[in-house]
Amino acid sequence: MFPFSFEWAWDMAHYVFLGGMWYAIGIISAGLSYCIGKALLDTVAGKGHDHGGDHH
Amino acid sequence: MNKTHNTQKAKKYGMVIDLDKCTGCGACMVACMAENNVPFKKDETNKLDSITWMHLYKLTNGKAFPETEICYLPRPCMHCEGAHGHPPCVSVCPATATDYDHGTGIVSQIYTRCFGCRYCMGACPYHARYFNWWDPVWPEGMKEYLSPNVSPRMRGVVEKCSFCFHRYQLAMDKAYHEGRKELEEHEYQSSCTQACPAGAITFGDLNNPDHQVHKIARPDNEHGGKPSATNVFRLLERLGTNPKVYYMSSREWVRRLGDNYLPHEKTGEIALGKQKGHH
Amino acid sequence: MDSALLPKGVKRCSFPQFSIGILIVGAVLLWGVYAMLLCWFKGLNQTGMNDSYGFALWIWADLAVIALGGGAFFTGLLKYIIGKDELKNIINFAVVIGFICYSSALLILAIDVGQPLRSWFIFWHVNVHSMLAEVAFCLSIYFSVLAIEFVPLLLENRKLDEVPFFHNLAHNMHEVMAVFAATGAFLSCFHQGSLGGVAGVLFGRPFAFREHLLVWPWTFFLFTWSAAAYGPCFTILLTKITEGITRKKLVKDNVVDLLAKISGWMIASYMVAKLIDTWYWATVTAPSRGLTFMQFYSDGNGLYTLWIIVAELVVGGILPALILTNKTLRANKSMLLLAVILACIGVCINRWVMVLQVMAHPVLPFEEWFAYMPSWQEVATTILPVAYGVILASLAYRYLPVFPQERELNPVNG
């Protein structure tokens, strides 16, 4: 999983497999960070304090 | 023995078992269990959950008396090479707990790495892999007699025949100590080979033309190690597992039981080109 | 008692009535937990598995719930990527089902391995060539996607929604849900496929082995396709069951009809591919290994004979495909229900044979068919996730706005 694991090899199989994995984890983490960060900013800006409970 | 032969070449340890000589005495099984600290239970009647690295099959020609014939077939791990060192079990292991050693041709099992998913067992068509359904329980005092060269296994991991790899390590240690890099044929022999009273098992380097295994099996390395000697065969040859255990028998029905054949196919005549590729 | 937590404008049963229901299912859950603890503390000797049946009921259960839970990724794909907007009325429920299915699969896997405390080795010491490693990675990451898809629904609970941060978070997550859905679909394609690959790469097992395209055997593609095809049927089936239990209409017919139609055509196209695959395997792959088609269906115990392939392909495949692709037939409520039930059974049989028949068939010519009977511990731990699923789905239905059309379809006076 990491280059310091001794079975690690710099070959195509590892690039594709673990590249795909880190890519997916990256997108998910970035998306989640964006949502949480923006929610914090929105809350500080006073959004969501006065809603009717029906968004969308 | 030609000591200078193939000094840098990779070894390919393998076995030839002469089924005409095997009496089914089971000495190979006992020797294997003692040598490799194989755990056992009080009740071993259920062969499907007891561990026998070397397993003995009883084959019959299925004919009625007086034409009934039987044959005993000892089955260790085949240490398959597959195509380019990819045996059925090695590539499926998700945690790299089993590996193909290109230097010796031995399929290893790392007990402390195995987490017991049993995928390798499902992949092996020879049922050579065994799961530790229980923790080993040794009879009173027997712990003192366990081999210090082989680590005992715990519950929940897979184990199998290692071709007595610890013997190889010990022999290599000795050779290095004596300033040699090569082993003599007799220096590394598996315990089952030495225990067989009928001398049915021959063990050695299949890559070394001076070794008995090579002389008997005459493996054709250009064609996946297929034996070119008469009456020599491998189990399930046409699956492409490329095993390193060869069998020999003068009886055609025994050789035919070594593989699956369509009704019109002749025993031993399998076009290797027909085998569809796997990796 | 819990009225402050219930969604606005909908009717729910009384809290005591709900609690009794949960307690009954909870008893089954506890039975499963007891069996699970037995397996963990005493080891896998508690199961009916053996050295010839290393993969058995649990692996089937894993494959089956993941195939059935495929409705989540495929409905998500249809809604967020392809733009079938009507499906927003069923996507929440699909996500809840998916979440239950995938968490169940992970739980079963945690019981199934011999050394559960070493499970992290599959990540740390990964062998990238192993199909099971691909399964583990995609499954775990996709489960986190499902959790992310579940969170906004959770935050829409009346009380949670009153917290401004949660309200904003749910809103923002809805905004970027397409990104998560796309990642989920990408991961799902691979883990559904690699579950098929688990069987297809076994070149020592002629019943399972299939020819490869690049590094994947045909079963890889068949599993992905079948999960996308059959998963929505399970979503529909559970919707109908929920409607039956609550005695309410929760999703409008046009939504169910759309999902059923898409599922029908997916099953139909899958069946074409599956039949070609079966024909090629029976006439080319198996004979090249010295085996005839009938040798795989000659189980002396009677389980693996021709009936099972007929049940899988005809009753559980062609028949539901015919019903679901026909507008008149799927408009008939009984026929629709029959079709989705048959489809769910069909995909479960497919997963069953790809695990258990593979183990049962003797490859060595001098061996007999292997038999296997699960122990009560295996059965209990397989029922455990069902009980857990019922509880989670009930809680979700009671406290969260799972069905957006419920209020409109079931107006509450006053």
Side-chain angles (χ1 to χ4, degrees), chain C residues 117-180:
Chain C
L117 295 178
R118 295 183 188 171
S119 298
W120 57 281
F121 286 9
I122 202 171
F123 301 107
W124 199 266
H125 298 297
V126 61
N127 168 17
V128 294
H129 301 283
S130 170
M131 281 291 163
L132 210 54
E134 196 172 320
V135 170
F137 274 77
C138 293
L139 205 115
S140 316
I141 305 173
Y142 180 58
F143 179 62
S144 71
V145 171
L146 274 173
I148 290 169
E149 289 181 346
F150 193 17
V151 165
L153 180 64
L154 204 64
L155 298 179
E156 278 170 32
N157 170 273
R158 213 162 102 193
K159 279 288 154 196
L160 291 176
D161 196 46
E162 285 172 8
V163 181
F165 173 72
F166 288 159
H167 176 83
N168 292 330
L169 183 60
H171 179 76
N172 291 333
M173 288 178 86
H174 273 296
E175 298 272 296
V176 293
M177 198 49 82
V179 176
F180 294 122

Side-chain angles (χ1 to χ4, degrees), chain B residues 48 57 91-96 111 113-119 122 125 127 130-131 133-134 155 257 259-260, chain C residues 40-41 44-45 49-52 54-55 112 114-115 118 121 125 127 130 198 204-205 211 288-289 363 365 367:
Chain B
L48 289 176
Y57 283 97
S91 51
V92 302
C93 175
T96 334
Y111 312 122
R113 174 71 71 77
C114 173
F115 68 99
C117 74
R118 305 181 300 285
Y119 191 14
H127 304 293
Y130 293 89
F131 188 69
W133 301 99
W134 287 267
R155 183 182 87 197
L257 276 180
D259 210 338
N260 292 298
Chain C
W40 274 342
F41 286 98
L44 296 184
N45 51 55
M49 287 188 281
N50 57 51
D51 289 328
S52 292
F55 276 8
D112 187 55
Q115 287 280 341
R118 295 183 188 171
F121 286 9
H125 298 297
N127 168 17
S130 170
V198 163
R205 295 284 189 165
E211 270 70 13
S288 75
R289 279 139 182 87
V363 186
E367 284 188 319

Side-chain angles (χ1 to χ4, degrees), chain B residues 46-51 57-59 73 75 82-83 86-88 90-97 110-127 129-135 154-157 235-236 238-241 256-263 265 270 274-279, chain C residues 39-45 47 49-56 58-59 112-116 118-119 121-123 125-133 197-199 201-206 209-212 214-216 280 284-292 295 358-359 361-367 370-371:
Chain B
N46 183 0
K47 298 301 175 205
L48 289 176
D49 65 12
S50 36
I51 303 176
Y57 283 97
K58 185 181 175 184
L59 277 49
L73 183 140
R75 191 248 41 224
H86 292 290
V90 167
S91 51
V92 302
C93 175
T96 334
I110 310 165
Y111 312 122
T112 48
R113 174 71 71 77
C114 173
F115 68 99
C117 74
R118 305 181 300 285
Y119 191 14
C120 57
M121 294 169 65
C124 174
Y126 305 104
H127 304 293
R129 291 178 158 271
Y130 293 89
F131 188 69
N132 282 272
W133 301 99
W134 287 267
D135 265 319
M154 67 297 283
R155 183 182 87 197
V157 303
L235 286 180
L236 303 173
R238 61 200 303 177
L239 291 185
T241 51
R256 194 165 181 87
L257 276 180
D259 210 338
N260 292 298
Y261 292 97
L262 297 175
E265 290 174 333
I270 305 154
K274 264 192 195 171
Q275 288 171 15
K276 287 280 158 72
H278 52 76
H279 312 258
Chain C
C39 293
W40 274 342
F41 286 98
K42 292 194 167 185
L44 296 184
N45 51 55
T47 69
M49 287 188 281
N50 57 51
D51 289 328
S52 292
Y53 252 110
F55 276 8
W58 282 333
I59 297 290
D112 187 55
V113 295
Q115 287 280 341
R118 295 183 188 171
S119 298
F121 286 9
I122 202 171
F123 301 107
H125 298 297
V126 61
N127 168 17
V128 294
H129 301 283
S130 170
M131 281 291 163
L132 210 54
V198 163
V201 296
L202 300 179
F203 65 92
R205 295 284 189 165
F209 179 74
R210 293 295 189 277
E211 270 70 13
H212 287 49
L214 301 175
V215 295
W216 296 294
Y280 188 83
V284 180
T285 314
S288 75
R289 279 139 182 87
L291 290 155
T292 59
Q295 279 177 286
V358 174
M359 299 293 131
H361 173 254
V363 186
L364 286 166
F366 44 84
E367 284 188 319
F370 295 98

